[in-house]
Amino acid sequence: MESIIHLADRHPQVTVEELVAGLRPSPRFGEVSFDSYIPDPNQPTQAAAVTALRNFAASVGGGKSEGGFFGKLFGGSKNNAKDKTAGIYLDGGFGVGKTHLLASLWHAAPGPKAFGTFVEYTNLVGALSFRKAVDMLSTYKLVCIDEFELDDPGDTVLMSRLMRELADAGVKIAATSNTLPGSLGEGRFAAVDFKREIQVLADQFTVLRIDGEDYRHRGLPAAPQPIDDDAALEFAQSRYPGRVISEDDFSTLIEHLSTVHPSRYRQFIDGIDVMVLHNVHTITAQNVALRFVVLADRLYDRDVPIIASGAPFDQLFTEEMMNGGYMKKYYRTVSRMTALAREGTLVTADES
């Protein structure tokens, strides 16, 4: 007999120990490798990225760079030209496999090592204090940051300082984003006021551009149409017998998200096998949309099939949002939610 739960009733609490223990790839990427990444033969940058990351993995644990971070920033010694940058940065559109490659790097590199999303690191700093977070992460050989996005000035300065100190300690850094490091923050806030901090980050990365189309939709049909609302739960129960199903009204859920810090969204959906969403509609408030982006990423990490009624997911955000400063985030979310909705509607009971 399946269990029905309501996410709107959940208020997860996360300890510092749980935050630290969670700095590893999600279950979706728990066993990936460079060998399991299949480059598109029509996109040579994908195979080149695999080669570069294999070499980068082999360099992890090599110790502090000559001259250190501040040496590179302010001119330093004559030998600084020989210094290697502190990190590697995977830039490309959504769906080209950046997170797969970042997780493969994490699996291939020696430990201790950390893997987390941008918001998880900022929350770690908040939970531990900046100095304690630096002290802890400085003992790691590799720090991987997925979904690197700077949405406000405070985070820009925070991550700039964190990168500085980790690089000085000899920690290798790898990150993924849909935005080149020198362009982080554009269209979101007064980036010109924080150009120095943004440039400090950009200077620390070797950028690997990964071209290609969204692998989640190569040669596949369009997103499935939403289910009739009265039939959504019954549909989920018939397709996924014996599973834990979350059932929520979309409006109630997105309102409840404002009471749960995004860094807790992993625990928020813990134990859920299938999601049923009633009456999906277009989100019109930017802050609500950004919170839903984080939830969508965590659902995708956990590979949670979605059965939804209401508007299709390609209408999840307004046209203005889809063309604004956060457009790459929103396109990623539409892509991922469409993939999960396709999985939810097309999987048969035998396949489940």
Side-chain angles (χ1 to χ4, degrees), residues 177-347:
S177 180
N178 297 319
T179 306
L180 285 168
S183 301
L184 288 168
E186 288 184 359
R188 299 170 179 82
F189 55 85
V192 65
D193 295 334
F194 297 90
K195 187 173 182 179
R196 174 184 170 81
E197 284 79 6
I198 293 170
Q199 192 58 49
V200 164
L201 296 181
D203 289 345
Q204 289 310 293
F205 291 103
T206 296
V207 177
L208 291 181
R209 174 70 189 181
I210 304 177
D211 299 308
E213 60 181 319
D214 184 351
Y215 79 91
R216 287 180 285 270
H217 307 301
R218 291 177 193 161
L220 294 175
Q225 287 300 304
I227 301 294
D228 182 75
D229 190 60
D230 293 336
L233 180 59
E234 182 180 351
F235 184 91
Q237 291 172 318
S238 65
R239 293 285 176 142
Y240 300 93
R243 304 295 182 87
V244 177
I245 300 172
S246 71
E247 182 193 22
D248 289 273
D249 178 77
F250 186 71
S251 293
T252 303
L253 177 61
I254 60 176
E255 181 178 355
H256 181 64
L257 289 180
S258 66
T259 69
V260 181
H261 192 278
S263 64
R264 300 176 183 175
Y265 286 2
R266 288 188 193 273
Q267 291 76 19
F268 185 59
I269 64 170
D270 192 37
I272 292 170
D273 298 317
V274 187
M275 170 179 272
V276 173
L277 286 177
H278 294 285
N279 304 310
V280 173
H281 60 77
T282 301
I283 299 172
T284 57
Q286 192 92 266
N287 61 334
V288 176
L290 290 172
R291 283 194 293 266
F292 192 82
V293 165
V294 181
L295 179 65
D297 287 337
R298 301 295 76 79
L299 290 168
Y300 185 75
D301 285 346
R302 295 290 182 90
D303 198 15
V304 177
I306 296 174
I307 294 158
S309 68
F313 285 122
D314 59 4
Q315 297 177 22
L316 192 56
F317 306 111
T318 66
E319 183 176 350
E320 181 181 7
M321 290 178 181
M322 297 297 286
N323 290 285
Y326 298 103
M327 62 181 293
K328 293 179 181 178
K329 283 189 173 187
Y330 295 144
Y331 272 100
R332 182 181 76 228
T333 296
V334 169
S335 169
R336 290 183 166 185
M337 292 297 287
T338 296
L340 295 177
R342 181 183 293 123
E343 183 177 351
T345 14
L346 299 185
V347 171

Side-chain angles (χ1 to χ4, degrees), residues 107-163:
H107 287 299
K113 52 196 174 182
F115 184 107
T117 62
F118 180 84
V119 70
E120 286 174 319
Y121 285 109
T122 56
N123 189 60
L124 182 69
V125 171
L128 288 176
S129 81
F130 180 81
R131 180 46 48 198
K132 289 182 178 179
V134 169
D135 290 344
M136 185 196 82
L137 293 173
S138 292
T139 67
Y140 286 50
K141 295 179 180 178
L142 173 69
V143 169
C144 295
I145 307 170
D146 200 20
E147 301 157 18
F148 199 113
E149 295 282 356
L150 300 182
D151 295 340
D152 63 66
D155 284 347
T156 303
V157 175
L158 176 69
M159 292 305 289
S160 175
R161 289 182 58 203
L162 184 65
M163 296 295 183

